[in-house]
């Protein structure tokens, strides 16, 4: 929940407020750092989810599909982030080296992040189903 809930809070509240207060480029400098942290949290979360899925049998196949989508989107976000970083000159405020390429990569990043969030919701639902089912089998 930290990973996906943090993403939702950041996207809905922090980015719009930061953009209003700091401006788009300065908010991007903040987001640049937060994205790295969120993606690292995602990597740790995937390890924990894999461990949990190995120990609960219910909906295991569906959970592995969801896990695979989360892993693929996380890998894609790492790639997109590095591409976006290469297009920004952080030594000169407001300097984007190739704006059309930056805009394209940023749109891809946002679409992948949205897909990841939706997959995350599905994984949460499947995990709750698996946990509920395993509680019933121990009674």
């Amino acid at each position: 929940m930290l990973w996906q809930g943090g993403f939702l809070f950041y996207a809905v509240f922090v980015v719009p407020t930061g953009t209003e207060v700091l401006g788009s480029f300065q908010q991007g400098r903040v987001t640049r750092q937060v994205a790295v942290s969120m993606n690292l949290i995602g990597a740790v979360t995937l390890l924990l989810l894999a461990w949990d899925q190995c120990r609960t049998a219910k909906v295991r196949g569906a959970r592995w599909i969801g896990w695979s989508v989360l892993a693929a989107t996380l890998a894609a976000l790492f790639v997109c982030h590095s591409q976006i970083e290469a297009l920004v000159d952080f030594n000169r405020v407001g300097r984007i080296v190739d704006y059309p390429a930056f805009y394209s990569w940023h749109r891809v990043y946002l679409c992948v992040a949205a897909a990841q969030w939706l997959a995350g919701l599905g994984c949460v639902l499947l995990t709750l189903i698996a946990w509920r089912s395993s509680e019933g089998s121990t009674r």
Side-chain angles (χ1 to χ4, degrees):
M1 294 312 307
L2 174 64
W3 181 24
Q4 298 302 310
F7 168 79
L8 181 62
F9 180 80
Y10 193 78
V12 172
F13 296 107
V14 177
V15 170
T17 303
T19 301
E20 185 178 316
V21 172
L22 301 172
S24 182
F25 189 80
Q26 292 301 335
Q27 174 56 41
R29 292 174 69 105
V30 173
T31 298
R32 168 186 183 217
Q33 301 301 319
V34 172
V36 172
S37 299
M38 293 297 289
N39 291 340
L40 291 175
I41 289 169
V44 171
T45 301
L46 286 174
L47 293 173
L48 293 171
L49 284 173
W51 170 78
D52 184 63
Q53 288 168 196
C54 288
R55 60 182 263 300
T56 54
K58 189 72 171 176
V59 296
R60 184 178 289 161
R63 288 181 75 197
W64 279 115
I65 291 169
W67 185 94
S68 297
V69 171
L70 288 175
T73 55
L74 183 60
L77 290 178
F78 276 112
V79 170
C80 289
H81 190 264
S82 68
Q83 292 297 319
I84 291 168
E85 285 274 311
L87 296 168
V88 180
D89 181 355
F90 288 100
N91 295 320
R92 295 176 57 195
V93 174
R95 175 82 166 105
I96 296 175
V97 177
D98 180 353
Y99 190 79
F102 172 86
Y103 184 75
S104 294
W105 277 107
H106 191 260
R107 284 191 68 132
V108 169
Y109 189 96
L110 294 176
C111 290
V112 171
Q116 182 186 74
W117 183 75
L118 288 171
L121 286 179
C123 285
V124 167
L125 178 62
L126 291 169
T127 299
L128 292 174
I129 290 169
W131 288 353
R132 182 167 171 82
S133 192
S134 67
E135 280 180 3
S137 65
T138 60
R139 290 181 191 174

